Amino acid sequence: MNNGMKVEFSRHNIGMEEKEAVFACLDSIFLTTGSVVSQFEKEFARYLNLKYAVGLNSCTAALHLALLALGIKKGDEIITTPLTFIATPNAILYTGAKPVFVDVEKGTGLLDHNKIAKAITKKTKAILPVHLYGQMCDMKAIKKICGKKKISIIEDAAHCIEGRRDGVAPGELGDIACFSFYATKNITCGEGGAIATNREDLADQIKCLRTHGMSKSAADRYVGRYQHWDMEALGWKYNMSNIDASLLLNQLQKIEHFLKRREEICSQYEQAFRSHPGIKLLDIYRQSRSARHLFTILVDPKKRDEILWKLQEKNIGVAVNYRALHLLSYYRSEFGFKRGMFPMAEYVGDATISLPLYPKLDNREVEYVIKSVKEAVKS
Ligand SMILES: *Cc1c(COP(=O)(O)O)cnc(C)c1O
């Protein structure tokens, strides 16, 4: 019935160049954080047109250290969205601060900046917008809200390296942006992350905090005469290795090329689903470039799970990004959240289905996904 077709939800795009770079790294003396990481940091910052980047082992680590570097601590409140991966509010909890959810826009699923002002209290120290699915939040509006009140901005840009909005890049108006190189992200080394910022003080602190707060990194200690190191602050073990950076340097070279193919696939999906009964699509802002990380459709919430299963039966990999986080057991019991508190996030969370979207997807596979989705929605 499906001609043996199997369409994975995600497939990485590690090519020969990446493999050769990893071999070269393995033949070198230095596997941990060293010159390859420094080179990646330089090129990643240059791609974003920001001054500094720091390589880490995940975006979760990036969010945690970004919050710490901005002085976030117990008792503080951080405004964020309930429609994101759990890493976002969990990183807030690691610092002892409290995540304060603000509902999303129905049309885009992005944090609704018009609802931020009402959630601000004396304890609000930062806002953590998430550039969901690759589309940036309205950073100009968010900056305007925060500017007067001395509220920091940390951007969760795990979905959005390539995105821009109103000419603004991730990390440009915020104090710091956090990125992921997890296996399914737009560029990957399996597990990895980074921060990027124009603030030297934040970059310096995070470099120190990523290896236990040690005053000298392994690379510093390797060159020249032995020197004692000191511990200046309580840090974590969140550094990126040269092996990861070898992969990422080559992935970064291809980032625009990858995006172009995902854009083609998105326009095929959009054409097929735009006015199809039973399917709704999210809005994309005109004055923006989406990083096109995930392609989602919205269906009748009562039928969503059944449609998911039908697509799986047709050997199509699907996902849900994301069910509204305030409804997960831990957040319900810890904070007393209930259904009805963030209705737009709940609606998207109950209606959304993510379809396969990656450069290796060929046109035959895209057509098979389209046909199967239409069948699954109809029945
Ligand atoms: C993937 C993801 C993260 C976490 O990234 P890791 O590198 O896996 O820690 C954080 N936020 C969002 C929105 C993500 O999609």
Side-chain angles (χ1 to χ4, degrees), residues 57-61 63 84-88 130-132 156-159 179-182 184-185 191-193 293-294 321-322:
N57 60 3
S58 73
C59 182
T60 307
L63 290 162
T84 178
F85 182 55
I86 41 165
T88 320
V130 177
H131 303 317
L132 194 69
D156 183 333
H159 295 183
F179 299 88
S180 176
F181 310 122
Y182 175 70
T184 58
K185 297 296 189 334
E191 298 281 358
H293 175 54
L294 290 168
N321 305 92
Y322 301 91

Side-chain angles (χ1 to χ4, degrees), residues 78 236-237 262 356 367:
I78 313 297
W236 274 259
K237 183 64 164 96
R262 291 197 309 278
E367 278 157 27

